[in-house]
Amino acid sequence: MKILVTGGTGYIGSHTVVELQQSGYEVVIVDNLANSYENVVDNIEKISGKRPLFECFDLTDESKTLDFFKRHNDLKGIIHFAAFKAVGESVEKPLMYYHNNLGSLINLLKGMEQSGVKNIVFSSSCTVYGQPDELPVTEQAPIKEAWSPYGHTKQISEKVIQNFSQTFPANAILLRYFNPIGAHESALIGELPIGVPNNLVPFITQTAIGKRRMLKVFGDDYNTPDGTAVRDYIHVVDLAKAHVVAVNRMIEGNNKQQVEIFNLGTGNGFSVLDVIKSFEKVSETKLNYEIVDRRPGDVEKVWADTKFANDELGWKAEKSLDDMMLSAWNWELALGK
Ligand code: UFG
């Protein structure tokens, strides 16, 4: 059974490819390598013992995308990760974000229509909730005005898929990720930020290894137990496993609605200082950090209500914050070698 994974050489994509292969799926990756490297395919093969098919092209190219669907007319489903994802960059370059994230999705849906592929899993984000009024946040919480063009592309993409499913009998599962961190236990795949990392965990590990001088903690005056912002961090391998469950669910016809939405988090909120403490413990290193002003656009606190995903998907995140930080550190050490 063949699954198309777009963005399959990227961070979450590569971990998902491994989990799919280990569950018996054949995988074809499409990635334009805009934010990833081709040798990820080799490392996936080292972990799973199976080499995924790989095609390098840009999904915003309609004719190449439709041609792909003609050549691969046996797909059982699609997992669509390929997208730009840097919040700050999206504010600087909104057209680039709308063109890429929406254009690629539209071409994929056209491909589904043309070739009759019926199942799609879409990478959405907890960013669609903004700062929720109630915590933990459930899938029913209102969608708030997004704070960035990146966030808007996730909201609009969810809508595009919902509208599409009203005209074409496609099943879709929209997965709203909280904060994915960590790396595969083999330390062969992980997060590979290009340039200065925006996200907390790669910044921590790069500071500890000496690539960065000091971590800036953005704000300690939030209304949280220690004053720093709180997020629901989830191990990327736990997240990857949820994609296999989601795609199985549709292939086996166990989905209860044509379009279903699930939060993917652990349900636990940790502050920036909690994350630093966990890192210092598992790595046995002291982290150089200072408290600075809040980062514009950051929400104060958000964590998931995971009941719906746990009950309906029969999936639960298993790894602890320490597991996440240790795997992130081992990955940074492996990169250093
Ligand atoms: N943080 C720091 N210092 C840093 C980087 C981050 O203190 O150098 C803090 C942030 O202020 C925030 C927390 O660490 O409180 C987590 O920040 P990340 O940048 O790692 O993650 P975000 O929660 O900002 O972003 C994540 C995803 C985005 C998504 C967003 C929605 O990475 O793709 O959630 O809120 F859009």
Side-chain angles (χ1 to χ4, degrees), residues 85 87 125-127 150 179 198-201 203 215-218 229 231 233 272 295 298-299:
K85 60 168 188 176
V87 176
S125 164
C126 69
T127 196
Y150 162 78
N179 286 53
N198 289 303
N199 295 115
L200 177 63
V201 173
F203 211 107
L215 170 77
K216 292 188 167 77
V217 174
F218 297 132
R231 298 286 183 276
Y233 296 92
V272 177
R295 180 170 69 177
D298 274 348
V299 301

Side-chain angles (χ1 to χ4, degrees), residues 219-248:
D220 68 349
D221 56 352
Y222 286 108
N223 182 23
T224 60
D226 64 24
T228 63
V230 170
R231 298 286 183 276
D232 184 338
Y233 296 92
I234 175 168
H235 197 297
V236 66
V237 172
D238 279 332
L239 191 75
K241 288 181 175 160
H243 291 74
V244 180
V245 175
V247 92
N248 278 339

